[in-house]
Amino acid sequence: MSSTAAIHGAVTLAPALSGDLDEVMHVMERAFSPEFGEAWTRSQCAGILPMSGVLLTIARTGADEAQGFSLLRTAADEAELLLIAVAPKARQQGIGRRLLDHFIGHAEHCGATRLHLEVRDGNLAVRMYRAAGFETSGRRRNYYRGHDGTQFDALTLVRGSSPA
Ligand SMILES: CC(C)(COP(=O)(O)OP(=O)(O)OC[C@H]1O[C@@H](n2cnc3c(N)ncnc32)[C@H](O)[C@@H]1OP(=O)(O)O)[C@@H](O)C(=O)NCCC(=O)NCCS
């Protein structure tokens, strides 16, 4: 039996502020397994939000419940997707791809020509990133540390032109 529930009502994306962090952490705690050490803490999120070029976006259903979020940063001609997550029950219904497309659109609107992200090697999200035109540019060994101390490599992915 699938643990995914059909989402009723339109999903809307909206910019969020520090006052929305409760909702973000609610999704974060469900979306990321502590096995892999990929989730951010509330203080990490709160610390980055005031920084220049940082954008937090929440995906909500018509019922106003947060189903997912993304966190990105743009700087000059570069943009980085810092986090993207969808609540387990809302997955495989296109919300992740909408958040990713929003990142790409926002980055291009801001003048970024090179888009980056990091993802744990083996994360199913890699498939989504590749479908959106991201290619592997490197590997960071033992970048993530899970709750039992096990370490996992990160892949760095890039989309767009190479630096001159
Ligand atoms: C990655 C994640 C955001 C995808 O969200 P989602 O709403 O389920 O994604 P979508 O429904 O838009 O699917 C987009 C693509 O992702 C891939 N994908 C999503 N779920 C998948 C699964 N269970 N198995 C394989 N591929 C999958 C597919 O390529 C899919 O495209 P397709 O439907 O055309 O095949 C979600 O699984 C998640 O929150 N994971 C935990 C957090 C995480 O690891 N984030 C990434 C690192 S920051």
Side-chain angles (χ1 to χ4, degrees):
M1 189 167 65
S2 169
S3 60
T4 299
I7 296 293
H8 298 290
V11 174
T12 55
L13 305 190
L17 299 168
S18 55
D20 301 302
L21 274 182
D22 282 348
E23 282 185 289
V24 168
M25 294 313 293
H26 188 75
V27 174
M28 184 100 69
E29 284 154 15
R30 282 154 186 74
F32 289 97
S33 167
E35 190 183 346
F36 302 119
E38 298 161 290
W40 285 28
T41 63
R42 188 189 178 96
S43 63
Q44 284 174 311
C45 295
I48 202 163
L49 276 183
M51 291 184 187
S52 170
V54 171
L55 178 66
L56 176 64
T57 300
I58 296 186
R60 289 193 181 85
T61 53
D64 223 24
E65 187 183 344
Q67 304 290 351
F69 71 89
S70 65
L71 183 66
L72 65 88
R73 176 169 50 196
T74 56
D77 59 353
E78 305 225 340
E80 184 175 14
L81 182 64
L82 300 166
L83 282 172
I84 184 168
V86 173
K89 287 187 174 173
R91 286 187 191 161
Q92 293 185 265
Q93 298 179 65
I95 299 175
R97 184 58 199 252
R98 271 197 61 194
L99 285 162
L100 181 61
D101 287 345
H102 176 261
F103 162 61
I104 294 168
H106 177 79
E108 289 175 350
H109 178 76
C110 292
T113 53
R114 198 169 158 81
L115 280 56
H116 302 266
L117 60 86
E118 257 151 26
V119 61
R120 175 179 51 81
D121 189 10
N123 189 324
L124 290 172
V126 170
R127 192 169 144 185
M128 176 174 76
Y129 298 140
R130 290 205 197 291
F134 285 82
E135 295 174 356
T136 304
S137 60
R139 173 181 293 273
R140 295 187 174 156
R141 297 230 174 258
N142 299 328
Y143 185 79
Y144 298 101
R145 182 184 290 269
H147 63 154
D148 68 353
T150 305
Q151 293 174 292
F152 303 91
D153 290 357
L155 300 178
T156 53
L157 270 59
V158 67
R159 181 183 192 272
S161 57
S162 301

